[in-house]
Amino acid sequence: SPLSLFSTSTFFNLNTSTLKKNNISQPEIEGLYRRFRALDKGHKGYISADEFLSIPELSINPLAKRLERVFESVNFKEFVGFLAAFSPRASREARVRLVFAVFDSDGDGVVSRSDLELCVRQLVGASMGEEGVAAVVASALEGAMANRRKAAAAATSLPPL
């Protein structure tokens, strides 16, 4: 059966360290594998953006088009890593990486003002004008800068080792 093949540590290179890193148990991985195989209509070993977005919880997300860009074709290991970020046991780093990938609309490694504006527009649709979008983005950037200053101040106030 496919699941017995899946149980080997070589399948999709999902070994013990990968399972621990994603805080996912072997039975959860097997369930995800069944879901992945159901989504992979052509049994290609990866799922396309359209197949990926056929997951109902993702297809109704206002940022679904952003997810489509981030995950143009997803192999099983990437599928597990992506869904692991939604787990209550996910690390903060895993969640931040996912959010960053979604918000970095141009893929340049920086979440810029224009990236944020695009996200806000996609989230609110026509219910908010350009001035409202600009105000939300300005507030978000001000909050980010305040948090950055606090973190820098806390780091400089630590006693030397």
Side-chain angles (χ1 to χ4, degrees):
S1 81
L3 290 179
S4 63
L5 289 174
F6 173 73
S7 297
T8 66
S9 64
T10 58
F11 190 75
F12 285 109
N13 197 24
L14 286 172
N15 53 30
T16 305
S17 66
T18 302
L19 297 175
K20 287 179 184 175
K21 177 183 170 189
N22 289 311
N23 293 317
I24 296 179
S25 68
Q26 185 68 30
E28 289 170 318
I29 294 285
E30 291 171 2
L32 288 172
Y33 181 65
R34 286 189 295 274
R35 183 85 181 259
F36 180 85
R37 294 285 295 173
L39 291 168
D40 179 12
K41 301 297 183 204
H43 303 290
K44 309 169 293 296
Y46 67 90
I47 54 177
S48 68
D50 288 338
E51 290 167 331
F52 188 70
L53 291 176
S54 72
I55 300 171
E57 299 84 354
L58 297 178
S59 64
I60 62 170
N61 188 312
L63 294 175
K65 287 294 179 191
R66 300 296 291 272
L67 294 171
E68 185 176 33
R69 182 195 58 77
V70 172
F71 300 100
E72 291 176 14
S73 65
V74 180
N75 66 30
F76 182 66
K77 189 173 182 179
E78 293 164 335
F79 181 74
V80 169
F82 172 77
L83 293 179
F86 290 99
S87 167
R89 297 182 310 253
S91 69
R92 184 174 191 273
E93 179 182 345
R95 291 179 185 175
V96 167
R97 285 184 184 278
L98 174 63
V99 170
F100 187 88
V102 170
F103 278 76
D104 180 18
S105 62
D106 55 13
D108 66 355
V110 175
V111 176
S112 66
R113 178 179 293 274
S114 62
D115 291 331
L116 290 176
E117 288 171 349
L118 181 60
C119 285
V120 171
R121 279 190 207 97
Q122 288 176 334
L123 286 169
V124 300
S127 67
M128 183 181 288
E130 288 302 312
E131 288 179 13
V133 169
V136 168
V137 169
S139 177
L141 291 173
E142 287 170 18
M145 289 306 294
N147 287 339
R148 191 174 189 173
R149 285 190 293 273
K150 285 179 192 175
T156 58
S157 66
L158 295 174
L161 295 176

